Amino acid sequence: MDLILSNATVLTLDDAGTVLPACDVSVREGVIAGLDSGAAVDRSQRVIDASDLLVMPGLINGHTHSPETLAKGRADRSTQESWLGQIWPPLDALEPRQIYVAALLGAAEMLRTGTISVVDHFRQTPVRPPAVDAVARAYRDSGMRAVIAVMLRDVAQRKDQQMSSPKEQVEIVEEAHLNGDASEGRVRIALGPSAPTRCSDELLVAAGDLAARHGLLMHTHVDETLADAAEARERYGTSNVRHLDALGLLGPSLSLAHAVWLDEEDIDLLAGAGAAVVHNPVSNMRLGSGIAPLTALRDRAVPVALGTDGAASNDGQSVFEALKAAVLLQRVAGVQAHRWFQALEGLAMATSAPAQIFGFGTGRIEPGEPADFIAVRRSGYTFTPCNDWHSQIVFGANGLDVRYAAVGGKLLLDDGRITTFDEEAILAEARDIGSCIFASPEGAINE
């Protein structure tokens, strides 16, 4: 759709933090054609009165697990070790339709709260082609941009878990990649080893080889908890990051979710290799996992994106919430005030940084770039009164005032209405699924 957002306030999120008042944002053939005042309009263009709208790049969720949207509010007061056994046994047994609904449930929440692109570290153990097909179809139907990092593992978490061989697992991912051309590049497949200690070296190397052969991304958990970091040192005699480096897997195509318990040498290795970190502050707090060394990562110029993590360790999928938590959490972690993250730096972690890490464009509003944007109501509580656009979107926004969301110029959220699927039907079906997949009212399923 060709359109003009007329008389908008635009947060370009360029390095200077440029704000364009009374700007006409022109969209043609899926890209931003111009940022002008008084842009010419022809009959092919839809004109949206944006005088009450703040237009900015759409947010990017750098790490989630879509099946967990069916397990919100469960396993309170649980650390990761006990939480896994309470949450995942029922979710690993989901049918393809249930997986599809879970992914669209998360997509709806993300679109309504300003997120238009996502990295889904998609877990089904054992990994099955119909499950991968179901989640890919959900994101295609949503219209969002998505990287589906198919979770791989061959070290069992429970005695009853069945594991396929490394060869079988990477072949499933390769087949999904080769068959995944129906979304014009919006939905891509990636390799998603669960964590180094949950995979044999054979599987890690096979995943790396496939990624290199097809130019795919790799995404994995690293050092989410102190126990994770200790297990690596016991198994390898060194850290997870140093072990990945020894296997030749550190590089710009690799992103590490959580990375809470890195040491100085780990951070230096990541910086030298160009590997990225995805910070999940809300999940880390929910499970008591710790505070990631965000300031140290910035100081070494390690690329950092933000993630919500799955809804079972967050209870929502709002990147605005993760953004505020990430910026504020460093302020109670012993970081001196002159080194605190400022609002514009925080916004980069939800826009331009993950866009570059995961291949979602530049994450900025500028001519020639894909028209991937959101438009937020200006007259609501967030900006009343308005003193600083960037600070108030970081510290005050909650997503409730998002009115439009577009990917490649297509409005996925149009004046508050999701256009690509039946939101109410998905909500109703998700309620029915959620009421029957857990074995007890409290979801207390133990190993």
Side-chain angles (χ1 to χ4, degrees):
M1 174 188 295
D2 289 347
L3 56 86
I4 290 180
L5 289 92
S6 175
N7 201 28
T9 299
V10 178
L11 296 192
T12 64
L13 297 192
D14 61 9
D15 292 337
T18 303
V19 179
L20 303 175
C23 179
D24 293 342
V25 181
S26 300
V27 175
R28 288 190 180 276
E29 297 182 355
V31 303
I32 297 172
L35 300 172
D36 309 298
S37 180
V41 181
D42 63 40
R43 292 182 179 179
S44 68
Q45 290 178 293
R46 174 183 170 187
V47 178
I48 295 173
D49 178 3
S51 55
D52 187 33
L53 295 175
L54 178 76
V55 176
M56 61 177 284
L59 304 181
I60 298 171
N61 187 353
H63 180 70
T64 192
H65 308 284
S66 57
E68 288 187 22
T69 61
L70 301 173
K72 301 169 186 172
R74 310 191 84 90
D76 191 12
R77 297 181 68 180
S78 296
T79 61
Q80 186 212 46
E81 290 77 11
S82 60
W83 173 91
L84 284 167
Q86 295 178 69
I87 293 296
W88 269 100
L91 297 182
D92 272 332
L94 294 177
E95 298 295 330
R97 177 65 190 182
Q98 296 170 322
I99 290 167
Y100 176 85
V101 170
L104 280 184
L105 179 64
E109 184 178 357
M110 284 188 277
L111 288 173
R112 286 202 164 277
T113 55
T115 296
I116 61 171
S117 302
V118 62
V119 178
D120 188 348
H121 197 184
F122 176 68
R123 169 175 170 168
Q124 287 289 280
T125 305
V127 61
R128 304 179 296 277
V132 178
D133 291 345
V135 71
R137 181 163 50 86
Y139 285 120
R140 287 196 297 270
D141 289 352
S142 77
M144 296 177 70
R145 298 194 193 276
V147 170
I148 301 170
V150 181
M151 190 176 289
L152 311 173
R153 63 179 300 160
D154 58 353
V155 176
Q157 177 185 335
R158 306 188 313 272
K159 293 179 180 178
D160 63 334
Q161 277 186 312
Q162 297 179 343
M163 298 291 170
S164 3
S165 71
K167 182 175 183 293
E168 291 172 317
Q169 292 188 49
V170 297
E171 283 179 349
I172 289 172
V173 178
E174 184 172 34
E175 181 180 358
H177 163 66
L178 295 174
N179 293 335
D181 57 358
S183 63
E184 299 178 341
R186 282 187 296 100
V187 179
R188 292 174 285 134
I189 298 295
L191 283 302
S194 178
T197 53
R198 299 171 199 156
C199 299
S200 66
D201 285 356
E202 180 186 359
L203 178 54
L204 290 170
V205 170
D209 288 346
L210 180 62
R213 192 158 66 250
H214 290 294
L216 304 181
L217 298 172
M218 286 186 64
H219 184 71
T220 186
H221 297 101
V222 163
D223 293 352
E224 180 175 355
T225 68
L226 188 57
D228 291 336
E231 183 180 357
R233 283 173 168 80
E234 181 179 348
R235 178 176 298 188
Y236 308 129
T238 189
S239 72
N240 275 306
V241 169
R242 294 197 274 282
H243 186 66
L244 289 170
D245 184 50
L247 295 177
L249 298 177
L250 286 192
S253 64
L254 177 67
S255 55
L256 310 177
H258 298 286
V260 174
W261 295 96
L262 304 178
D263 61 23
E264 297 288 331
E265 185 177 346
D266 292 334
I267 295 173
D268 286 340
L269 280 172
L270 295 179
V277 164
V278 183
H279 180 35
N280 300 273
V282 177
S283 170
N284 292 342
M285 288 189 283
R286 165 78 142 82
L287 299 179
S289 299
I291 302 175
L294 190 60
T295 306
L297 292 166
R298 177 193 63 185
D299 291 347
R300 310 294 209 293
V302 174
V304 178
L306 288 179
T308 60
D309 208 352
S313 63
N314 179 306
D315 305 289
Q317 294 289 275
S318 171
V319 174
F320 274 125
E321 179 186 61
L323 173 57
K324 181 175 182 176
V327 173
L328 294 183
L329 192 56
Q330 296 300 298
R331 301 185 180 189
V332 295
V335 176
Q336 294 179 320
H338 72 276
R339 300 176 66 216
W340 287 353
F341 274 70
Q342 294 180 297
L344 191 58
E345 290 179 285
L347 280 165
M349 294 190 294
T351 54
S352 58
Q356 294 167 37
I357 292 166
F358 299 113
F360 292 133
T362 64
R364 296 176 175 178
I365 301 293
E366 53 191 20
E369 283 300 305
D372 292 359
F373 63 82
I374 59 174
V376 183
R377 191 166 65 98
R378 291 173 43 190
S379 60
Y381 290 103
T382 299
F383 300 114
T384 303
C386 183
N387 298 303
D388 185 284
W389 294 112
H390 298 107
S391 289
Q392 286 173 245
I393 199 78
V394 170
F395 299 121
N398 54 22
L400 297 179
D401 284 329
V402 176
R403 302 305 301 164
Y404 296 88
V407 167
K410 179 179 180 179
L411 291 174
L412 311 184
L413 185 72
D414 187 345
D415 198 19
R417 181 182 65 86
I418 291 176
T419 66
T420 48
F421 58 92
D422 188 334
E423 180 183 13
E424 289 302 320
I426 290 297
L427 285 165
E429 192 169 355
R431 292 185 196 104
D432 290 341
I433 295 169
S435 68
C436 67
I437 61 171
F438 285 89
S440 74
E442 297 302 320
I445 297 177
N446 299 310
E447 293 182 77

